[in-house]
Amino acid sequence: EPEVTQTPSHQVTQMGQEVILRCVPISNHLYFYWYRQILGQKVEFLVSFYNNEISEKSEIFDDQFSVERPDGSNFTLKIRSTKLEDSAMYFCATRILQGTNTEAFFGQGTRLTVV
Amino acid sequence: DAKTTQPNSMESNEEEPVHLPCNHSTISGTDYIHWYRQLPSQGPEYVIHGLTSNVNNRMASLAIAEDRKSSTLILHRATLRDAAVYYCILKYNTDKLIFGTGTRLQVFP
C-alpha cells in the first residue's frame, strides 16, 4: 500500500536553530499538507500546498515557517528559528485530489524537540 | 466549520461490535462526514466518509441519521489494534481537516 514517508523520525535541535522536516508524498498525489500535534493536544492544521503555492495557512504558520517542493518529490517544512513551543509531532499529509470527498494520507510524523 | 461532539472515551471488549457516536447538529447540506483515527504514536489514518447514505468499507461502517444531525462509526468486531482516538470531522469546501479531541477507544482482551 502506498504511504507517505517522513524524515527524520526524531529531531532534536537547539532553540534558535533552523530545522527542515522532509516528506515524500505518494507519487500521484497533488495536494500536500503539514499538521502538528503538541504533546497531549489536538492535531492542528498548519498549511496546504498545491501547484508550488501555498493554498491556505493557519495563524500558527507565521513568518518563521516556510514550505517548498524543491525537486518535485520531497515536500519540506522549514522552521527558521525554532522556539521551545515548536516542540511537537509534525505530520505531513497528501491527497490525490482537492475537495471534500477525498481522503488524506498521513505520514508517521517527525517528533521535533527544541531544547 | 460546523462543530462535532463526541464522547471523550469509550471501552469495548475484543471481538465485540463498537458504536462510536458523533453529534453534528449544525451540519449543512454539503458537509461530508469524515472519520479518522490515530493509533498510539502514529499519524492520523483515514477510516471512512459519507454524505447522506450509510457507507461500508473494509475497516468500518458509517451510519448517518436521516436528518444528518448525527452519525455512528461502527467497528463490527473490535480488535486490540483498534484502540485509538477516533475523530469525526465535517468537511465543506475546504481541504484542511479540523480535528477535535475525538473519542479514545480502549479495547480489552
PDB file of all heavy atoms in Angstrom, chain B residues 55-81:
ATOM      1  N   VAL B  55     -22.475   3.971   4.674  1.00  0.00           N
ATOM      2  CA  VAL B  55     -21.313   3.556   3.895  1.00  0.00           C
ATOM      3  C   VAL B  55     -20.627   2.398   4.596  1.00  0.00           C
ATOM      4  O   VAL B  55     -20.590   2.343   5.834  1.00  0.00           O
ATOM      5  CB  VAL B  55     -20.308   4.730   3.751  1.00  0.00           C
ATOM      6  CG1 VAL B  55     -19.152   4.331   2.845  1.00  0.00           C
ATOM      7  CG2 VAL B  55     -20.986   5.987   3.235  1.00  0.00           C
ATOM      8  N   ASN B  56     -20.087   1.506   3.799  1.00  0.00           N
ATOM      9  CA  ASN B  56     -19.310   0.392   4.342  1.00  0.00           C
ATOM     10  C   ASN B  56     -17.979   0.318   3.620  1.00  0.00           C
ATOM     11  O   ASN B  56     -17.906   0.554   2.418  1.00  0.00           O
ATOM     12  CB  ASN B  56     -20.047  -0.942   4.131  1.00  0.00           C
ATOM     13  CG  ASN B  56     -21.388  -0.969   4.805  1.00  0.00           C
ATOM     14  OD1 ASN B  56     -21.487  -0.883   6.014  1.00  0.00           O
ATOM     15  ND2 ASN B  56     -22.446  -1.078   4.009  1.00  0.00           N
ATOM     16  N   ASN B  57     -16.931  -0.008   4.355  1.00  0.00           N
ATOM     17  CA  ASN B  57     -15.664  -0.369   3.718  1.00  0.00           C
ATOM     18  C   ASN B  57     -15.018  -1.457   4.547  1.00  0.00           C
ATOM     19  O   ASN B  57     -15.637  -1.972   5.499  1.00  0.00           O
ATOM     20  CB  ASN B  57     -14.760   0.853   3.499  1.00  0.00           C
ATOM     21  CG  ASN B  57     -14.247   1.476   4.781  1.00  0.00           C
ATOM     22  OD1 ASN B  57     -14.258   0.858   5.853  1.00  0.00           O
ATOM     23  ND2 ASN B  57     -13.810   2.721   4.671  1.00  0.00           N
ATOM     24  N   ARG B  58     -13.771  -1.796   4.204  1.00  0.00           N
ATOM     25  CA  ARG B  58     -13.159  -2.947   4.861  1.00  0.00           C
ATOM     26  C   ARG B  58     -12.857  -2.675   6.334  1.00  0.00           C
ATOM     27  O   ARG B  58     -12.675  -3.587   7.123  1.00  0.00           O
ATOM     28  CB  ARG B  58     -11.880  -3.348   4.130  1.00  0.00           C
ATOM     29  CG  ARG B  58     -10.811  -2.292   4.139  1.00  0.00           C
ATOM     30  CD  ARG B  58      -9.535  -2.758   3.447  1.00  0.00           C
ATOM     31  NE  ARG B  58      -8.538  -1.693   3.425  1.00  0.00           N
ATOM     32  CZ  ARG B  58      -7.740  -1.416   4.433  1.00  0.00           C
ATOM     33  NH1 ARG B  58      -7.800  -2.115   5.543  1.00  0.00           N
ATOM     34  NH2 ARG B  58      -6.867  -0.432   4.339  1.00  0.00           N
ATOM     35  N   MET B  59     -12.793  -1.393   6.702  1.00  0.00           N
ATOM     36  CA  MET B  59     -12.445  -1.064   8.078  1.00  0.00           C
ATOM     37  C   MET B  59     -13.670  -0.917   8.977  1.00  0.00           C
ATOM     38  O   MET B  59     -13.628  -1.285  10.158  1.00  0.00           O
ATOM     39  CB  MET B  59     -11.666   0.248   8.131  1.00  0.00           C
ATOM     40  CG  MET B  59     -10.260   0.165   7.610  1.00  0.00           C
ATOM     41  SD  MET B  59      -9.412   1.750   7.758  1.00  0.00           S
ATOM     42  CE  MET B  59      -9.200   1.863   9.514  1.00  0.00           C
ATOM     43  N   ALA B  60     -14.725  -0.318   8.433  1.00  0.00           N
ATOM     44  CA  ALA B  60     -15.840   0.065   9.303  1.00  0.00           C
ATOM     45  C   ALA B  60     -17.088   0.340   8.475  1.00  0.00           C
ATOM     46  O   ALA B  60     -17.068   0.299   7.249  1.00  0.00           O
ATOM     47  CB  ALA B  60     -15.461   1.330  10.081  1.00  0.00           C
ATOM     48  N   SER B  61     -18.162   0.654   9.200  1.00  0.00           N
ATOM     49  CA  SER B  61     -19.392   1.148   8.577  1.00  0.00           C
ATOM     50  C   SER B  61     -19.721   2.500   9.180  1.00  0.00           C
ATOM     51  O   SER B  61     -19.387   2.784  10.336  1.00  0.00           O
ATOM     52  CB  SER B  61     -20.555   0.181   8.838  1.00  0.00           C
ATOM     53  OG  SER B  61     -20.313  -1.061   8.220  1.00  0.00           O
ATOM     54  N   LEU B  62     -20.359   3.326   8.385  1.00  0.00           N
ATOM     55  CA  LEU B  62     -20.792   4.641   8.836  1.00  0.00           C
ATOM     56  C   LEU B  62     -22.298   4.719   8.666  1.00  0.00           C
ATOM     57  O   LEU B  62     -22.800   4.585   7.537  1.00  0.00           O
ATOM     58  CB  LEU B  62     -20.106   5.744   8.028  1.00  0.00           C
ATOM     59  CG  LEU B  62     -20.520   7.181   8.333  1.00  0.00           C
ATOM     60  CD1 LEU B  62     -20.256   7.524   9.794  1.00  0.00           C
ATOM     61  CD2 LEU B  62     -19.803   8.156   7.409  1.00  0.00           C
ATOM     62  N   ALA B  63     -22.992   4.908   9.795  1.00  0.00           N
ATOM     63  CA  ALA B  63     -24.436   5.058   9.763  1.00  0.00           C
ATOM     64  C   ALA B  63     -24.760   6.527   9.986  1.00  0.00           C
ATOM     65  O   ALA B  63     -24.328   7.122  10.981  1.00  0.00           O
ATOM     66  CB  ALA B  63     -25.071   4.198  10.850  1.00  0.00           C
ATOM     67  N   ILE B  64     -25.483   7.115   9.047  1.00  0.00           N
ATOM     68  CA  ILE B  64     -25.814   8.540   9.104  1.00  0.00           C
ATOM     69  C   ILE B  64     -27.303   8.682   9.350  1.00  0.00           C
ATOM     70  O   ILE B  64     -28.121   8.090   8.624  1.00  0.00           O
ATOM     71  CB  ILE B  64     -25.410   9.233   7.781  1.00  0.00           C
ATOM     72  CG1 ILE B  64     -23.905   9.052   7.542  1.00  0.00           C
ATOM     73  CG2 ILE B  64     -25.783  10.709   7.820  1.00  0.00           C
ATOM     74  CD1 ILE B  64     -23.425   9.548   6.181  1.00  0.00           C
ATOM     75  N   ALA B  65     -27.658   9.461  10.359  1.00  0.00           N
ATOM     76  CA  ALA B  65     -29.064   9.671  10.671  1.00  0.00           C
ATOM     77  C   ALA B  65     -29.771  10.345   9.506  1.00  0.00           C
ATOM     78  O   ALA B  65     -29.152  11.068   8.722  1.00  0.00           O
ATOM     79  CB  ALA B  65     -29.198  10.526  11.932  1.00  0.00           C
ATOM     80  N   GLU B  66     -31.052  10.120   9.445  1.00  0.00           N
ATOM     81  CA  GLU B  66     -31.824  10.651   8.317  1.00  0.00           C
ATOM     82  C   GLU B  66     -31.758  12.182   8.253  1.00  0.00           C
ATOM     83  O   GLU B  66     -31.683  12.752   7.164  1.00  0.00           O
ATOM     84  CB  GLU B  66     -33.288  10.217   8.453  1.00  0.00           C
ATOM     85  CG  GLU B  66     -34.051  10.258   7.145  1.00  0.00           C
ATOM     86  CD  GLU B  66     -35.392   9.565   7.244  1.00  0.00           C
ATOM     87  OE1 GLU B  66     -35.489   8.531   7.949  1.00  0.00           O
ATOM     88  OE2 GLU B  66     -36.347  10.077   6.638  1.00  0.00           O
ATOM     89  N   ASP B  67     -31.755  12.833   9.410  1.00  0.00           N
ATOM     90  CA  ASP B  67     -31.661  14.297   9.418  1.00  0.00           C
ATOM     91  C   ASP B  67     -30.212  14.781   9.373  1.00  0.00           C
ATOM     92  O   ASP B  67     -29.958  15.989   9.395  1.00  0.00           O
ATOM     93  CB  ASP B  67     -32.373  14.883  10.645  1.00  0.00           C
ATOM     94  CG  ASP B  67     -31.742  14.454  11.960  1.00  0.00           C
ATOM     95  OD1 ASP B  67     -30.694  13.768  11.920  1.00  0.00           O
ATOM     96  OD2 ASP B  67     -32.289  14.772  13.012  1.00  0.00           O
ATOM     97  N   ARG B  68     -29.277  13.859   9.343  1.00  0.00           N
ATOM     98  CA  ARG B  68     -27.821  14.117   9.265  1.00  0.00           C
ATOM     99  C   ARG B  68     -27.260  14.854  10.470  1.00  0.00           C
ATOM    100  O   ARG B  68     -26.126  15.311  10.441  1.00  0.00           O
ATOM    101  CB  ARG B  68     -27.465  14.869   7.983  1.00  0.00           C
ATOM    102  CG  ARG B  68     -27.828  14.139   6.737  1.00  0.00           C
ATOM    103  CD  ARG B  68     -27.030  14.453   5.486  1.00  0.00           C
ATOM    104  NE  ARG B  68     -26.462  15.768   5.419  1.00  0.00           N
ATOM    105  CZ  ARG B  68     -25.158  15.995   5.291  1.00  0.00           C
ATOM    106  NH1 ARG B  68     -24.308  14.993   5.245  1.00  0.00           N
ATOM    107  NH2 ARG B  68     -24.717  17.232   5.213  1.00  0.00           N
ATOM    108  N   LYS B  69     -28.011  14.957  11.528  1.00  0.00           N
ATOM    109  CA  LYS B  69     -27.512  15.667  12.703  1.00  0.00           C
ATOM    110  C   LYS B  69     -26.646  14.777  13.588  1.00  0.00           C
ATOM    111  O   LYS B  69     -26.087  15.248  14.589  1.00  0.00           O
ATOM    112  CB  LYS B  69     -28.679  16.252  13.497  1.00  0.00           C
ATOM    113  CG  LYS B  69     -29.420  17.360  12.758  1.00  0.00           C
ATOM    114  CD  LYS B  69     -30.500  17.959  13.621  1.00  0.00           C
ATOM    115  CE  LYS B  69     -31.338  18.978  12.853  1.00  0.00           C
ATOM    116  NZ  LYS B  69     -30.562  20.105  12.330  1.00  0.00           N
ATOM    117  N   SER B  70     -26.548  13.533  13.250  1.00  0.00           N
ATOM    118  CA  SER B  70     -25.672  12.631  13.995  1.00  0.00           C
ATOM    119  C   SER B  70     -25.234  11.490  13.080  1.00  0.00           C
ATOM    120  O   SER B  70     -25.857  11.238  12.038  1.00  0.00           O
ATOM    121  CB  SER B  70     -26.370  12.066  15.231  1.00  0.00           C
ATOM    122  OG  SER B  70     -27.441  11.243  14.847  1.00  0.00           O
ATOM    123  N   SER B  71     -24.141  10.864  13.485  1.00  0.00           N
ATOM    124  CA  SER B  71     -23.662   9.692  12.749  1.00  0.00           C
ATOM    125  C   SER B  71     -22.997   8.747  13.733  1.00  0.00           C
ATOM    126  O   SER B  71     -22.663   9.135  14.872  1.00  0.00           O
ATOM    127  CB  SER B  71     -22.697  10.089  11.629  1.00  0.00           C
ATOM    128  OG  SER B  71     -21.560  10.762  12.156  1.00  0.00           O
ATOM    129  N   THR B  72     -22.822   7.510  13.304  1.00  0.00           N
ATOM    130  CA  THR B  72     -22.212   6.495  14.155  1.00  0.00           C
ATOM    131  C   THR B  72     -21.207   5.696  13.341  1.00  0.00           C
ATOM    132  O   THR B  72     -21.538   5.191  12.261  1.00  0.00           O
ATOM    133  CB  THR B  72     -23.271   5.531  14.720  1.00  0.00           C
ATOM    134  OG1 THR B  72     -24.248   6.282  15.440  1.00  0.00           O
ATOM    135  CG2 THR B  72     -22.623   4.505  15.652  1.00  0.00           C
ATOM    136  N   LEU B  73     -20.009   5.626  13.855  1.00  0.00           N
ATOM    137  CA  LEU B  73     -18.997   4.768  13.254  1.00  0.00           C
ATOM    138  C   LEU B  73     -19.108   3.405  13.907  1.00  0.00           C
ATOM    139  O   LEU B  73     -19.112   3.297  15.138  1.00  0.00           O
ATOM    140  CB  LEU B  73     -17.598   5.343  13.483  1.00  0.00           C
ATOM    141  CG  LEU B  73     -16.463   4.503  12.911  1.00  0.00           C
ATOM    142  CD1 LEU B  73     -16.466   4.575  11.385  1.00  0.00           C
ATOM    143  CD2 LEU B  73     -15.109   4.973  13.451  1.00  0.00           C
ATOM    144  N   ILE B  74     -19.198   2.380  13.089  1.00  0.00           N
ATOM    145  CA  ILE B  74     -19.374   1.027  13.613  1.00  0.00           C
ATOM    146  C   ILE B  74     -18.168   0.172  13.253  1.00  0.00           C
ATOM    147  O   ILE B  74     -17.837   0.021  12.067  1.00  0.00           O
ATOM    148  CB  ILE B  74     -20.654   0.388  13.036  1.00  0.00           C
ATOM    149  CG1 ILE B  74     -21.867   1.258  13.379  1.00  0.00           C
ATOM    150  CG2 ILE B  74     -20.836  -1.030  13.583  1.00  0.00           C
ATOM    151  CD1 ILE B  74     -23.112   0.922  12.586  1.00  0.00           C
ATOM    152  N   LEU B  75     -17.519  -0.325  14.297  1.00  0.00           N
ATOM    153  CA  LEU B  75     -16.481  -1.338  14.100  1.00  0.00           C
ATOM    154  C   LEU B  75     -17.152  -2.667  14.425  1.00  0.00           C
ATOM    155  O   LEU B  75     -17.606  -2.883  15.546  1.00  0.00           O
ATOM    156  CB  LEU B  75     -15.303  -1.094  15.043  1.00  0.00           C
ATOM    157  CG  LEU B  75     -14.679   0.308  15.014  1.00  0.00           C
ATOM    158  CD1 LEU B  75     -13.538   0.397  16.014  1.00  0.00           C
ATOM    159  CD2 LEU B  75     -14.209   0.650  13.616  1.00  0.00           C
ATOM    160  N   HIS B  76     -17.208  -3.557  13.454  1.00  0.00           N
ATOM    161  CA  HIS B  76     -18.050  -4.743  13.615  1.00  0.00           C
ATOM    162  C   HIS B  76     -17.501  -5.736  14.628  1.00  0.00           C
ATOM    163  O   HIS B  76     -18.256  -6.366  15.358  1.00  0.00           O
ATOM    164  CB  HIS B  76     -18.281  -5.389  12.262  1.00  0.00           C
ATOM    165  CG  HIS B  76     -19.055  -4.500  11.332  1.00  0.00           C
ATOM    166  ND1 HIS B  76     -20.408  -4.304  11.477  1.00  0.00           N
ATOM    167  CD2 HIS B  76     -18.665  -3.712  10.303  1.00  0.00           C
ATOM    168  CE1 HIS B  76     -20.836  -3.451  10.555  1.00  0.00           C
ATOM    169  NE2 HIS B  76     -19.789  -3.074   9.833  1.00  0.00           N
ATOM    170  N   ARG B  77     -16.185  -5.853  14.682  1.00  0.00           N
ATOM    171  CA  ARG B  77     -15.547  -6.733  15.669  1.00  0.00           C
ATOM    172  C   ARG B  77     -14.262  -6.065  16.103  1.00  0.00           C
ATOM    173  O   ARG B  77     -13.274  -6.084  15.387  1.00  0.00           O
ATOM    174  CB  ARG B  77     -15.254  -8.102  15.072  1.00  0.00           C
ATOM    175  CG  ARG B  77     -16.485  -8.957  14.801  1.00  0.00           C
ATOM    176  CD  ARG B  77     -16.088 -10.306  14.273  1.00  0.00           C
ATOM    177  NE  ARG B  77     -15.393 -11.105  15.279  1.00  0.00           N
ATOM    178  CZ  ARG B  77     -14.625 -12.137  14.990  1.00  0.00           C
ATOM    179  NH1 ARG B  77     -14.426 -12.499  13.751  1.00  0.00           N
ATOM    180  NH2 ARG B  77     -14.029 -12.829  15.950  1.00  0.00           N
ATOM    181  N   ALA B  78     -14.283  -5.457  17.263  1.00  0.00           N
ATOM    182  CA  ALA B  78     -13.111  -4.711  17.716  1.00  0.00           C
ATOM    183  C   ALA B  78     -11.934  -5.649  17.962  1.00  0.00           C
ATOM    184  O   ALA B  78     -12.097  -6.759  18.488  1.00  0.00           O
ATOM    185  CB  ALA B  78     -13.445  -3.960  19.002  1.00  0.00           C
ATOM    186  N   THR B  79     -10.768  -5.190  17.585  1.00  0.00           N
ATOM    187  CA  THR B  79      -9.534  -5.902  17.910  1.00  0.00           C
ATOM    188  C   THR B  79      -8.674  -4.980  18.758  1.00  0.00           C
ATOM    189  O   THR B  79      -8.924  -3.764  18.844  1.00  0.00           O
ATOM    190  CB  THR B  79      -8.761  -6.297  16.642  1.00  0.00           C
ATOM    191  OG1 THR B  79      -8.267  -5.092  16.023  1.00  0.00           O
ATOM    192  CG2 THR B  79      -9.647  -7.035  15.653  1.00  0.00           C
ATOM    193  N   LEU B  80      -7.643  -5.531  19.346  1.00  0.00           N
ATOM    194  CA  LEU B  80      -6.751  -4.713  20.170  1.00  0.00           C
ATOM    195  C   LEU B  80      -6.133  -3.601  19.344  1.00  0.00           C
ATOM    196  O   LEU B  80      -5.843  -2.508  19.848  1.00  0.00           O
ATOM    197  CB  LEU B  80      -5.666  -5.595  20.807  1.00  0.00           C
ATOM    198  CG  LEU B  80      -6.162  -6.658  21.798  1.00  0.00           C
ATOM    199  CD1 LEU B  80      -4.994  -7.493  22.313  1.00  0.00           C
ATOM    200  CD2 LEU B  80      -6.924  -6.026  22.948  1.00  0.00           C
ATOM    201  N   ARG B  81      -5.932  -3.886  18.053  1.00  0.00           N
ATOM    202  CA  ARG B  81      -5.320  -2.892  17.169  1.00  0.00           C
ATOM    203  C   ARG B  81      -6.244  -1.699  16.905  1.00  0.00           C
ATOM    204  O   ARG B  81      -5.816  -0.668  16.397  1.00  0.00           O
ATOM    205  CB  ARG B  81      -4.918  -3.544  15.850  1.00  0.00           C
ATOM    206  CG  ARG B  81      -3.954  -2.699  15.061  1.00  0.00           C
ATOM    207  CD  ARG B  81      -3.801  -3.184  13.630  1.00  0.00           C
ATOM    208  NE  ARG B  81      -3.026  -2.253  12.833  1.00  0.00           N
ATOM    209  CZ  ARG B  81      -3.525  -1.186  12.225  1.00  0.00           C
ATOM    210  NH1 ARG B  81      -4.804  -0.917  12.298  1.00  0.00           N
ATOM    211  NH2 ARG B  81      -2.744  -0.371  11.538  1.00  0.00           N
TER     212      ARG B  81
END
